[in-house]
Amino acid sequence: MAGKIIDGKSLAAKFKEDIKREVGQLKEKHKVTPLLTAIQVGENPASRVYIKNQKKSCEEMGIDYQLHELPEATSEEELLQFVEKLNTDDKVTGIILQMPLPQQINGRRVQMAITPMKDVEGMNPSNMGMLVYGSPRLAPCTALAAMELLNSTGVDIKGKEVTVVGHSEIVGKPITLFLLSSILESATPTVCHIATRDLASHTRNAEILIVAVGKAGLIKGDMIKQGAIVIDVGINRVPVLDEKGKPVLSNEGKPKMKTVGDVVFEEAVEKASYITPVPGGVGPLTVVMLLRNTLTACKWQREKK
Ligand code: NAP
């Protein structure tokens, strides 16, 4: 029997309702409106799309949004000074640094300079540290999204064998720390990466499989345990193929593209008990987690006053 689809879009809609209500209460009771401030250095078409989505989502929630566009030639020192100005501006309650940054800037250094209370991406070492302590305040949005999708199944993860494929700082590592924190009761995570010798032996052992790599087709149906929960974080653009395996061309003669995850969905859905689709799984919820972090950050700053 095919697995149940975990619908990221409807879960995102539910969270949005809660955020909108809480933002409304903040405004009414405390005359405070969260302000998410984005910094974009130079031109980047991909960031344009994110910025447009962030702005739209904030507007829907009643959160103010502000974009600062700095020239491509901005030095690291200038950017650090700019961040410091935002850190001390009481009106700004959340700061987001759009990636990628120009070569001359060390992104990690700048991310570390964002004050923890305004770090809505959860990337400051102090916020990461709280995750290690099992008391997360602001955590990376994609990791939060993956955990909420898992939580939405209602399945108890306590003691479960979980395999996380990918160990990046923004996704795989924080997910692993969440799995060990007391929020949802500790699981038994195994973390795989590029040097893992026999990936399939670890994925086949997983009662819960979380994949965050960025390689289409990496996880095939025969690598999944019968009845496993599968959370596919990967986002990959691949050509659409016809029944003979040839690329389908658009009217302009260019290959038509589609978005897929790291898991071969059609095979995995036959083995999994629950599975997230791509698109429509982790993606829609990640944006919402940014909004939730923005609200959390605003409340945190208010409590500190
Ligand atoms: P990343 O920084 O490139 O990390 C990829 C990870 O995969 C690394 O830890 C790497 O290990 C590991 N890896 C690479 N090849 C592997 C293999 N063959 N077997 C096992 N592990 C392998 O990427 P990321 O930022 O974590 O993102 C991962 C994916 O999630 C991407 O497709 C990205 O687009 C997607 N994503 C989605 C969202 C969303 O909202 N849905 C948000 C963020 C990211 P090593 O470090 O050892 O090389």
Side-chain angles (χ1 to χ4, degrees), residues 142 165-168 171 193-194 212-215 218 233-235 282-283 286:
T142 311
V165 189
H167 66 153
S168 72
V171 194
H193 42 76
I194 195 74
V213 171
K215 283 190 182 154
L218 180 69
V233 182
I235 297 178
V282 180
T286 298

Side-chain angles (χ1 to χ4, degrees), residues 30-46:
H30 307 290
K31 311 281 172 252
V32 175
T33 302
L35 169 60
L36 177 60
T37 299
I39 311 170
Q40 159 89 42
V41 187
E43 236 333 291
N44 186 283

Side-chain angles (χ1 to χ4, degrees), residues 242-264:
D242 65 16
E243 44 309 334
K244 289 181 188 148
K246 284 195 178 153
V248 176
L249 300 181
S250 67
N251 291 341
E252 298 91 54
K254 289 185 185 153
K256 275 193 179 168
M257 303 297 280
K258 62 176 179 178
T259 302
V260 298
D262 293 339
V263 176
V264 182

